[in-house]
Amino acid sequence: MRITERVGNAGLGAVPVGILAVFTLFLIAIAYLVASSLMRRSLPTFDPSPVQTEALGGDTVIDDTVTIDARDPERWQFFDFDRRSVVPPPDTTGWDLAFRRFQIIASGGVAALDAEWEERVPSEERFLTTRMAKDTVNPAIDRWYEYSFLSHLLEPKAMAYAIRTTDGRFAKMRIVSYYCPGLAAGCLTIRYTYPLPADTGV
């Protein structure tokens, strides 16, 4: 009996800890790949909106949804609320937002809203300006998304943003999607209301 116990214990101890660790990591990797393959990969997708050349003018309030094709990682796409459209160079004077892949910046300021869609424009101190640097960001909107390690897709957070435009007016915006048809990344679809009354205080 004692001889058998010794042999059994020796057999268990003969398996190096390193091999057990590698085997465990291998099983985890297999489980991750299986879970990734089974993960639902269906998110709303939109075709890029056509370019508009005329400004709205006046104080007509517009509720609109547009899709900006920002798939080029080397080039910003400039959006003007007055024209409800991307404004291609060299006609980018008066742009309000710029998009490049998942990056969003503003020429004026951005305020992240506590609620999904507040009724009034936030007070001035809540608006954050864009930091122009090697990694140009606006801290109010730079983390507008959640990233899934299983599906590898970006999904917009359930929140809204107030935008102070170049001419000092205001818009409210919610990000709807980040994908073109076929789940091609870089098509940012936004729903917005513009212009808003300038009464602050939220």
Side-chain angles (χ1 to χ4, degrees):
M1 181 64 70
R2 292 179 179 176
I3 294 176
T4 303
E5 289 177 353
R6 288 177 182 174
V7 171
N9 291 336
L12 290 173
V15 180
V17 175
I19 292 179
L20 288 174
V22 170
F23 183 67
T24 301
L25 290 175
F26 173 75
L27 291 179
I28 292 173
I30 292 298
Y32 171 78
L33 292 174
V34 171
S36 297
S37 66
L38 297 176
M39 174 62 64
R40 178 181 64 88
R41 290 179 59 85
S42 59
L43 289 175
T45 62
F46 299 88
D47 289 310
S49 300
V51 174
Q52 304 286 341
T53 58
E54 295 183 2
L56 290 176
D59 294 321
T60 303
V61 177
I62 295 294
D63 291 301
D64 199 6
T65 300
V66 297
T67 300
I68 296 95
D69 187 348
R71 286 176 283 186
D72 188 341
E74 303 298 327
R75 188 161 63 97
W76 289 98
Q77 299 292 331
F78 299 95
F79 179 83
D80 179 12
F81 282 110
D82 280 324
R83 280 181 272 186
R84 296 178 289 168
S85 172
V86 168
V87 284
D91 188 23
T92 56
T93 302
W95 66 274
D96 298 309
L97 293 172
F99 303 83
R100 187 176 66 184
R101 297 291 289 181
F102 57 86
Q103 296 171 284
I104 304 174
I105 60 174
S107 62
V110 181
L113 303 182
D114 297 330
E116 183 177 349
W117 203 256
E118 294 176 1
E119 293 299 324
R120 292 186 294 166
V121 174
S123 55
E124 181 60 31
E125 60 267 16
R126 288 178 56 185
F127 284 88
L128 302 181
T129 58
T130 298
R131 296 197 300 256
M132 300 294 183
K134 182 179 180 180
D135 294 320
T136 300
V137 297
N138 186 293
I141 200 173
D142 65 332
R143 293 294 179 184
W144 57 265
Y145 57 85
E146 299 281 2
Y147 175 73
S148 170
F149 285 97
L150 288 177
S151 67
H152 303 294
L153 298 176
L154 300 187
E155 294 193 54
K157 294 179 179 177
M159 59 190 306
Y161 303 90
I163 313 297
R164 186 179 65 238
T165 65
T166 304
D167 59 2
R169 298 206 283 183
F170 297 93
K172 286 184 181 177
M173 176 186 78
R174 184 169 64 85
I175 301 165
V176 176
S177 175
Y178 178 61
Y179 295 96
C180 306
L183 283 180
C187 284
L188 279 139
T189 298
I190 62 172
R191 179 174 71 86
Y192 69 88
T193 302
Y194 173 82
L196 296 173
D199 57 327
T200 59
V202 175

